[in-house]
Amino acid sequence: MRPKTIIQLSFVLVLAATAGATAAERPYLRAAARAARWIESTTVATPQGTVWPVVPPDPATVQSDLYSGVAGPVLFFLEMNRAAADRSYLDKAIQGADFLLAGLAAEKDMGFYTGLAGTAFALEESYKLSGLERHRAGFLRALEVLRAKAAKSGRGVEWTNVTDIISGSSGIGLFLLYAAGELNDASLVTLAGQAGDRLIQLGRAERGGLKWAMSPDFPRLMPNFSHGTAGVAYFLATLFQKTKKKEYLEAALAGAKYLQAVADIEGDGCLIFHNEPDARELYYLGWGHGPAGTARLFERLFEVTQDETWKNWMLKSARSILHSGIPEKQTPGFWNNVGMCCGSAGIADFFLGLYLKTKDKACLDFALRLTVDLLSKAARDGDNLKWVQAEHRTQPELLQAQTGLMQGAAGVGLWLLRLDAYYQGRKPGVILPDDPFGN
């Protein structure tokens, strides 16, 4: 038996019995700590401070954003501090937050996962744990920039012509709602509503509902959560939740109606194609383009309407994943990737959220099975853990170990800490604004 196989088997043997582990054993915290040590080991010096490159050891890959950059490890180290009560993790988070602070003035992208809104979220989360006023001040400065950059367009405002969760108005709008709650500032809800007004205007009527393009000049329409209709409708449903203005609910329901009309419901499931016109027969499974993300819309609609229809569509989404044969089987929409965006960590996170809503033990069991699998795929770097994977389905040969949130060790680590929090009987501290299961 090869050494790597022995390592993988040891993970499986240890984690398979986790459901019966005592609170003191905390295997998921131990695994997360090993991922944290790997991220720490990648530290590089920059003029703004010592931080972690996206793809170690290359210092040219250092960036600030929430998707791949320093903001992701900041959130992970904050959560490690909560879970382990170890000040060294908070010190690492502060170090990263100071790097984000230094780069605020130069940030041109306003997006949540790609730019200013996401780095501001990390600064505020750091402030909440560290109490450092400079991080709160950076958060406030970022909000003023977002106000100033909101350009009047049609019946509302936008920052660019992008509509989506990743970099567009939907993600920025969700951040503004988060910030409104942090500051008790109704003017931020108003600004988010103006973004919603513009999004409603941009909806395209189809199949008795509405759909949204990522942007007018992008050649493909991707209907799922990260870049399309499901994410836009999720933001609009959340706007209704905060404002009770029926036009936001009506638009969100219209988006859901379109998704219902185009869904593949074979086996009483729900799969929605990757994109049109190029990939109407391609179905992803994860957060970005699959049911693990799109089901967030159905959960939010159930929350705000109490209509069991939407709970049933969330369960349909889960059934499609359960019946897919993963994690043992790779499919065109589930490849060599364990990340929060496209792979096992994001799907497992969805199933834990579903378990907490439904108390269906099959959901928890599946989340654990996915976690055993993703831990078996970890590569050892000394006593540290990293994941060498293919970020892109179309580039399976491009294998990298990343540090960040959505494609790297920080995201996997946050998932492990969420599972640890469940077994410890506590709520996780870091809840992203697009997560309906954590708040």
Side-chain angles (χ1 to χ4, degrees):
M1 186 178 289
R2 292 177 300 164
K4 184 177 180 182
T5 305
I6 294 171
I7 293 165
Q8 293 176 343
L9 181 59
S10 69
F11 274 126
V12 174
L13 293 174
V14 170
L15 273 298
T18 299
T22 68
E25 290 171 336
R26 304 183 71 176
Y28 299 115
L29 175 60
R30 293 202 307 273
R34 295 174 72 183
R37 287 199 297 270
W38 177 69
I39 296 174
E40 291 174 42
S41 76
T42 72
T43 299
V44 299
T46 75
Q48 294 79 30
T50 53
V51 288
W52 319 280
V54 176
V55 184
D58 184 358
T61 65
V62 171
Q63 56 195 57
S64 60
D65 65 89
L66 186 59
Y67 190 93
S68 298
V70 168
V74 166
L75 298 182
F76 175 40
F77 287 130
L78 290 171
E79 199 67 7
M80 279 297 303
N81 175 256
R82 289 188 179 96
D86 182 337
R87 171 73 199 200
S88 69
Y89 293 121
L90 180 56
D91 291 339
K92 291 290 182 184
I94 290 169
Q95 171 185 300
D98 284 342
F99 172 84
L100 300 179
L101 189 63
L104 281 182
E107 184 60 72
K108 304 301 181 185
D109 188 321
M110 299 294 108
F112 182 68
Y113 279 98
T114 58
L116 185 68
T119 55
F121 174 77
L123 285 170
E124 175 68 0
E125 290 296 302
S126 177
Y127 165 74
K128 286 159 63 175
L129 198 59
S130 71
L132 290 173
E133 289 295 337
R134 64 180 182 269
H135 294 165
R136 166 53 73 88
F139 168 68
L140 295 174
R141 287 206 307 275
L143 283 170
E144 290 310 306
V145 173
L146 287 168
R147 290 183 197 269
K149 295 289 187 180
K152 180 69 177 174
S153 185
R155 294 197 296 266
V157 302
E158 60 188 17
W159 290 266
T160 66
N161 64 5
V162 179
T163 63
D164 68 11
I165 291 282
I166 293 286
S167 64
S169 292
S170 296
I172 296 169
L174 287 171
F175 167 71
L176 292 172
L177 295 177
Y178 158 87
E182 293 294 305
L183 301 171
N184 193 26
D185 185 344
S187 71
L188 293 169
V189 178
T190 299
L191 183 58
Q194 292 171 332
D197 295 340
R198 176 58 176 161
L199 288 168
I200 292 173
Q201 188 179 14
L202 291 171
R204 304 177 184 178
E206 185 161 324
R207 305 290 290 269
L210 289 175
K211 67 179 183 180
W212 282 267
M214 184 179 79
S215 68
D217 51 358
F218 194 76
R220 295 185 298 279
L221 187 146
M222 298 169 286
N224 286 286
F225 193 75
S226 62
H227 290 300
T229 297
V232 175
Y234 178 88
F235 166 55
L236 293 170
T238 307
L239 260 180
F240 170 75
Q241 187 180 52
K242 302 297 184 184
T243 67
K244 306 307 178 191
K245 292 184 178 180
K246 65 179 182 179
E247 59 265 34
Y248 301 133
L249 178 60
E250 290 169 353
L253 290 169
K257 186 173 183 180
Y258 163 74
L259 294 170
Q260 288 175 305
V262 301
D264 182 337
I265 56 173
E266 183 179 353
D268 198 24
C270 173
L271 288 171
I272 296 166
F273 59 84
H274 181 273
N275 78 78
E276 60 179 0
D278 299 331
R280 292 190 62 95
E281 303 300 323
L282 175 61
Y283 299 101
Y284 279 24
L285 298 179
W287 172 90
H289 296 283
T294 293
R296 293 180 175 212
L297 168 62
F298 302 139
E299 166 59 20
R300 181 58 30 103
L301 287 174
F302 175 61
E303 288 176 3
V304 300
T305 67
Q306 290 301 296
D307 183 342
E308 292 282 333
T309 298
W310 303 116
K311 181 178 179 180
N312 291 335
W313 275 83
M314 181 172 63
L315 295 175
K316 283 174 176 284
S317 301
R319 278 194 290 271
S320 285
I321 299 173
L322 286 169
H323 297 162
S324 68
I326 72 166
E328 295 79 13
K329 174 185 175 183
Q330 288 198 0
T331 75
F334 183 82
W335 60 96
N336 178 21
N337 187 295
V338 301
M340 288 294 289
C341 178
C342 306
S344 303
I347 298 171
D349 185 64
F350 165 58
F351 274 90
L352 178 61
L354 195 56
Y355 168 72
L356 295 173
K357 295 287 184 180
T358 66
K359 303 307 178 187
D360 182 349
K361 190 170 181 296
C363 294
L364 178 59
D365 290 344
F366 189 64
L368 292 174
R369 199 168 101 219
L370 285 163
T371 305
V372 168
D373 183 73
L374 77 83
L375 285 170
S376 77
K377 292 174 178 173
R380 285 187 60 171
D381 187 335
D383 194 41
N384 307 331
L385 297 183
K386 62 183 180 180
W387 285 266
V388 181
Q389 62 179 15
E391 176 176 352
H392 305 288
R393 174 188 61 86
T394 56
Q395 295 178 283
E397 74 289 347
L398 181 59
L399 299 174
Q400 298 174 323
Q402 296 190 29
T403 59
L405 179 68
M406 300 305 283
Q407 296 287 350
V412 175
L414 269 177
W415 158 243
L416 295 169
L417 293 177
R418 181 164 291 195
L419 200 48
D420 174 73
Y422 164 73
Y423 281 109
Q424 292 295 303
R426 68 173 180 87
K427 289 189 175 182
V430 174
I431 304 295
L432 291 165
D434 60 32
D435 183 356
F437 299 109
N439 49 25

